[in-house]
Amino acid sequence: MDSGTPVDGGFGTLLRRLRTGAGLSQEELAHAAGVSVRALSYMERGHSRGPQRRTVRALAGALGLDGAGARELERLASLGRPRKVRTEDVPSPAFAPDATGRAAAPDLLPRAPRGFHGRAAELDALSRATEGEAPVCLVVGPAGVGKTALVLHWARRGPDGFPDGRLYADLRGFGDTAEPPLMEVLREFLPALGVPLDRVPESLNGAAALFRSLAADRRLLVVLDNARNSEQVRPLLPGGSRCVTVVTSRHRLPGLIVTDAARPVAVDVLDPRDGTMLLAAVLGTERVDAEPAAALRLAELCDGLPLALRVVAARLTQRPGSSLGAMAAELSDETRRLSLLDVEDTGVRAALRLTLQQLPQDVSRQFARLGRHPGTRIDRYTAAALADTDPPAAEAALEKLAAAHLVTETAPGRWVVHDLVRLYARSLEAAPETLTRLLDHYITTGLAAVAAAEPGNEECFPLPSDHLPPAVVREFGDRSAAVAWYAAERDDLTLAVAAAHAAGLHDRAWRIVMTLWPLIVWRVRDGWVPLLETGLESARIAADRHGESRVLNVLGWVLIEEGRVEEALTHLRAASALASRAGDPVAEANALLVLAMAQAALGGLDEAAHGCGRAVDLAREAGDRTIERLALQHLARHRADAGKWREALDTSTAALAFDDRSGTADIPRVLLLVVRGEALLGLGQDAEGIEQLDLAAREAESSGYEDGAVRALGALLKVSEDAELRARYDAAVARLTTRA
């Protein structure tokens, strides 16, 4: 900004000569001395020939002047200080008369960025928020989302609405350069309103009071850009009822809402269509229209962030022969994306860094550890595990990150991290055991969910020898709470398995897979095979026979349900043999039960019944009543399928008598009720059979066990053409199909 020539031959000439001799730009000297660039430019051009003594001392110190040099600079400054000047005698350059002789309204707004597009909803919200008496509007959003561009576009399109002027100050709350002293901001505002610099009060309180009094009877727009906190804003709020103040910030500034009734306007990322239109505004519509799919992909890879899109457009402008598709291919590489979205000292990474450096150290540390989370959805327990802290402390950090728009709270207690922010967090240093802590959190939480979803069942596995327990383990009050957690976390649990496998933490990978078995049982047709195959590979790499047998068993069962019975047989025979060699009777019994399902599917009902009988014996030897009951359930099923109704009835009745689980939505209980009902029908006891099947159907429906509901209602429809039954059956099938 080294423009303008000194015209006074005194203070301004000397100041410019000293600055250029020191090799400093106006921006560098202004920053070092704590004055604004505009004020420094005024001084050098002679518009401010007699600055205050403390300003001169600050300039001398920034220039490194010795005593004689500082005294000479002060002498020339003192010559330019008038002793008695009335305010009305010396108009400020920013408030000079226009061609008609009237004082021109000051306009300190910078030029609005080019290529602005869309934001109709935000512009309308901004207009509504600036209505009424002395409104204060708070425009908030993440770094690079275009808050300043939005405000300047809005302010520029209606200049007649502010006949007394438009003031602007960049408070630099999120920059590498120091924040401007509030006094320097007022030294720009007050001269713009007609106050000579030498008549500006020296104290902040005095200058702020004068600003409020001058604004009291005017209709002004005051834009306070990039505010870090509410304290930075309050002294700059104008007085009077006709002034409009617009504040932009990456923080939510709740204090300003409380004390000054600020009205927030949230600015989010652009949707893909508006993102492509922004590209078109910079690159030209022909270039974007020639590759619409690639343009859309670029908008998605930039997360709809205007700053990122502008950087991409700048790169493409420098490569006129390069295609949008080629740029999209480059950005698809996550290891390079952030570097490609930086140009010189401007870009996504720089913007996020400046946001982060304003936060407390513990919050920054929490953010860095979020980058080790393979998924995007986070709760207080997950964040606590990542940061090796407790949930309340983790939640407090998440709230601060949300206030800075680094994470987004999508539901009470659940936050997400958008792609570019996640990539930046991943680039930061974090403790090496962070991922292990996350995986062990999932393992312990998964075991707690298993215990709630299937009470009384055996433990899935022993914990790893170097297990890192979280400070607090989530508690589940009942089965429905556990199933809700499974449903919400399924995607991130799957990503955690992949991350564990990729990091060589195989003893964690197969264990997380096995904690999902209740959900696999409840939604068996949900495409579990790839996940189970990953778990199987990890168990084998870890040389854990117990884990390998358990994963093979579940994989075999899922393959049976998918109709891939021959594949299932191979896995299940291996599971049974592994468990037998390991001396694990419970695992062997489990494998025999699923193996019997495959044998029955191929018509070997007697062979299947024999295997189930062996499983009953193994369970009794181990003293495991839960597995014994499960084995009896499978045995009853195979006997019913063979038409051995009396044996099926006796076996199912014996299993149901193990304990009273009515109303608990226990899957084996539902299936036992179905077998018992079918057996009673087979023996001609229709009323009792229908009663048992109806009970099974209602328990399955109430718990969301759609497969059980389909089985029970299907059996009922064989003896009844009731329209309500048909409707319930069709609805259950539809729900099951939708889930699959």
Side-chain angles (χ1 to χ4, degrees):
M1 192 173 170
D2 289 300
S3 59
T5 303
V7 297
D8 64 337
F11 175 79
T13 300
L14 177 60
L15 179 60
R16 181 180 176 89
R17 186 170 70 246
L18 290 169
R19 176 179 63 77
T20 55
L24 298 174
S25 67
Q26 284 187 341
E27 288 84 352
E28 290 168 336
L29 178 57
H31 173 64
V35 301
S36 71
V37 177
R38 185 188 297 270
L40 181 61
S41 176
Y42 280 175
M43 293 179 209
E44 290 191 354
R45 286 183 289 164
H47 295 310
S48 175
R49 291 176 292 177
Q52 297 180 32
R53 288 183 177 84
R54 63 178 180 178
T55 300
V56 176
R57 286 196 296 269
L59 289 168
L63 289 165
L65 301 182
D66 58 16
R71 285 192 294 273
E72 177 61 14
L73 193 65
E74 166 58 26
R75 185 186 69 79
L76 291 177
S78 66
L79 294 177
R81 293 184 190 127
R83 297 295 179 267
K84 296 287 184 179
V85 180
R86 293 181 301 172
T87 300
E88 61 269 25
D89 291 339
V90 185
S92 164
F95 205 66
D98 63 15
T100 65
R102 295 174 300 181
D107 188 352
L108 302 185
L109 291 180
R111 177 182 62 80
R114 295 172 183 169
F116 184 88
H117 181 79
R119 299 294 194 193
E122 289 89 344
L123 289 168
D124 289 343
L126 184 52
S127 295
R128 291 193 300 272
T130 53
E131 294 174 351
E133 184 175 320
V136 177
C137 175
L138 179 58
V139 178
V140 295
V145 82
K147 301 178 292 295
T148 301
L150 173 76
V151 171
L152 294 178
H153 182 79
W154 173 84
R156 286 290 184 197
R157 69 179 188 173
D160 294 340
F162 303 101
D164 296 317
R166 298 178 295 189
L167 306 180
Y168 172 89
D170 183 357
L171 301 183
R172 301 199 298 269
F174 306 93
D176 280 328
T177 57
E179 296 172 7
L182 298 183
M183 194 65 200
E184 289 301 328
V185 176
L186 289 168
R187 286 198 188 101
E188 291 195 16
F189 283 5
L190 291 172
L193 297 177
V195 179
L197 278 172
D198 62 289
R199 300 297 295 272
V200 173
E202 292 194 6
S203 72
L204 176 61
N205 287 339
L210 178 58
F211 173 57
R212 288 192 296 271
S213 67
L214 289 174
D217 297 325
R218 310 189 194 203
R219 181 160 180 75
L220 288 169
L221 170 65
V222 180
V223 177
L224 304 174
D225 202 12
N226 292 314
R228 179 172 54 85
N229 54 36
S230 301
E231 290 76 9
Q232 196 183 20
V233 170
R234 291 193 183 100
L236 303 176
L237 295 178
S241 61
R242 297 194 300 156
C243 292
V244 173
T245 306
V246 179
V247 181
T248 76
S249 181
R250 299 179 191 180
H251 291 170
R252 292 175 181 166
L253 306 190
L256 204 63
I257 298 174
V258 172
T259 61
D260 295 278
R263 304 166 185 174
V265 172
V267 183
D268 205 347
V269 297
L270 295 170
D271 62 39
R273 181 179 175 278
D274 281 339
T276 59
M277 294 300 291
L278 189 152
L279 287 174
V282 180
L283 298 173
T285 55
E286 290 185 6
R287 194 170 177 186
V288 170
D289 289 347
E291 298 181 78
L296 187 64
R297 179 60 177 155
L298 285 173
E300 293 169 347
L301 289 168
C302 290
D303 264 358
L305 202 64
L307 174 61
L309 286 162
R310 289 182 183 279
V311 172
V312 166
R315 287 192 177 279
L316 286 167
T317 300
Q318 294 170 343
R319 306 182 194 173
S322 179
S323 69
L324 275 62
M327 176 61 74
E330 290 186 65
L331 284 177
S332 295
D333 182 355
E334 288 192 350
T335 63
R336 299 184 59 208
R337 191 177 306 166
L338 282 178
S339 63
L340 289 169
L341 294 178
D342 284 339
V343 173
E344 295 181 346
D345 60 346
T346 299
V348 174
R349 187 159 42 193
L352 292 172
R353 175 177 56 80
L354 294 173
T355 300
L356 192 63
Q357 72 183 21
Q358 301 294 333
L359 297 174
Q361 188 175 14
D362 63 316
V363 179
S364 298
R365 185 167 55 250
Q366 174 78 75
F367 177 75
R369 295 197 176 195
L370 293 182
R372 300 302 182 270
H373 185 29
T376 58
R377 292 174 293 277
I378 301 160
D379 62 19
R380 62 204 296 262
Y381 295 96
T382 305
L386 285 163
D388 189 21
T389 186
D390 57 75
E395 185 170 14
L398 285 169
E399 288 174 351
K400 288 183 175 67
L401 290 170
H405 294 91
L406 290 171
V407 301
T408 303
E409 190 172 12
T410 56
R414 293 190 68 81
W415 292 264
V416 300
V417 184
H418 291 297
D419 282 350
L420 292 179
V421 178
R422 176 176 53 82
L423 289 176
Y424 177 67
R426 190 177 293 172
S427 71
L428 303 175
E429 289 187 11
E433 76 279 2
T434 301
L435 177 60
T436 303
R437 290 192 179 280
L438 174 71
L439 300 174
D440 286 354
H441 152 71
Y442 279 138
I443 289 171
T444 51
T445 308
L447 289 174
V450 170
E454 298 295 336
N457 276 280
E458 60 162 334
E459 291 286 343
C460 295
F461 44 73
L463 293 172
S465 59
D466 58 345
H467 177 68
L468 300 174
V472 178
V473 180
R474 178 193 289 273
E475 296 180 358
F476 299 96
D478 52 25
R479 175 179 279 103
S480 62
V483 172
W485 178 80
Y486 276 127
E489 296 290 337
R490 176 180 172 178
D491 289 345
D492 280 355
L493 288 168
T494 301
L495 290 169
V497 171
H501 187 275
L505 297 170
H506 298 290
D507 56 344
R508 269 74 177 178
W510 74 259
R511 283 177 166 86
I512 296 175
V513 171
M514 285 305 300
T515 63
L516 282 160
W517 74 260
L519 186 63
I520 295 173
V521 170
W522 283 59
R523 300 182 180 179
V524 67
R525 296 178 181 85
D526 268 9
W528 296 102
V529 170
L531 179 68
L532 288 163
E533 289 176 339
T534 300
L536 178 59
E537 183 180 351
S538 282
R540 285 173 172 166
I541 293 173
D544 193 314
R545 288 185 176 181
H546 174 86
E548 184 180 354
S549 172
R550 292 302 176 93
V551 178
L552 279 169
N553 196 32
V554 178
L555 176 58
W557 180 64
V558 171
L559 288 170
I560 292 170
E561 293 292 331
E562 291 188 358
R564 299 158 64 179
V565 182
E566 293 292 346
E567 291 179 65
L569 275 172
T570 302
H571 291 310
L572 294 167
R573 285 176 179 141
S576 176
L578 279 168
S580 178
R581 287 198 299 271
D584 187 342
V586 173
E588 186 179 357
N590 266 315
L592 287 171
L593 293 178
V594 185
L595 179 60
M597 292 173 61
Q599 292 164 339
L602 295 174
L605 292 174
D606 290 340
E607 187 181 13
H610 176 76
C612 289
R614 172 64 180 150
V616 171
D617 294 338
L618 287 168
R620 285 173 179 166
E621 289 173 16
D624 193 316
R625 297 274 289 175
T626 300
I627 296 299
E628 182 182 352
R629 174 174 175 261
L630 183 64
L632 288 171
Q633 172 219 313
H634 282 265
L635 180 58
R637 176 75 267 163
H638 298 314
R639 285 174 171 169
D641 289 342
K644 298 178 180 180
W645 302 119
R646 175 53 60 185
E647 293 178 41
L649 178 61
D650 292 344
T651 304
S652 59
T653 300
L656 284 166
F658 266 47
D659 49 16
D660 180 15
R661 298 196 177 199
S662 58
T664 63
D666 179 76
I667 290 176
R669 171 183 162 79
V670 170
L671 296 176
L672 281 166
L673 288 171
V674 172
V675 173
R676 192 168 192 274
E678 291 176 346
L680 287 167
L681 290 176
L683 293 170
Q685 300 176 41
D686 291 1
E688 283 187 70
I690 290 172
E691 180 184 354
Q692 292 290 290
L693 290 169
D694 182 64
L695 178 59
R698 294 189 184 281
E699 287 193 12
E701 288 172 318
S702 66
S703 63
Y705 179 33
E706 308 301 351
D707 189 63
V710 168
R711 294 186 190 212
L713 292 166
L716 283 170
L717 284 172
K718 292 178 181 178
V719 295
S720 172
E721 291 297 329
D722 183 77
E724 181 188 352
L725 280 178
R726 171 59 64 182
R728 288 166 61 194
Y729 176 82
D730 291 342
V733 169
R735 290 192 297 270
L736 189 62
T737 304
T738 300
R739 284 183 174 177

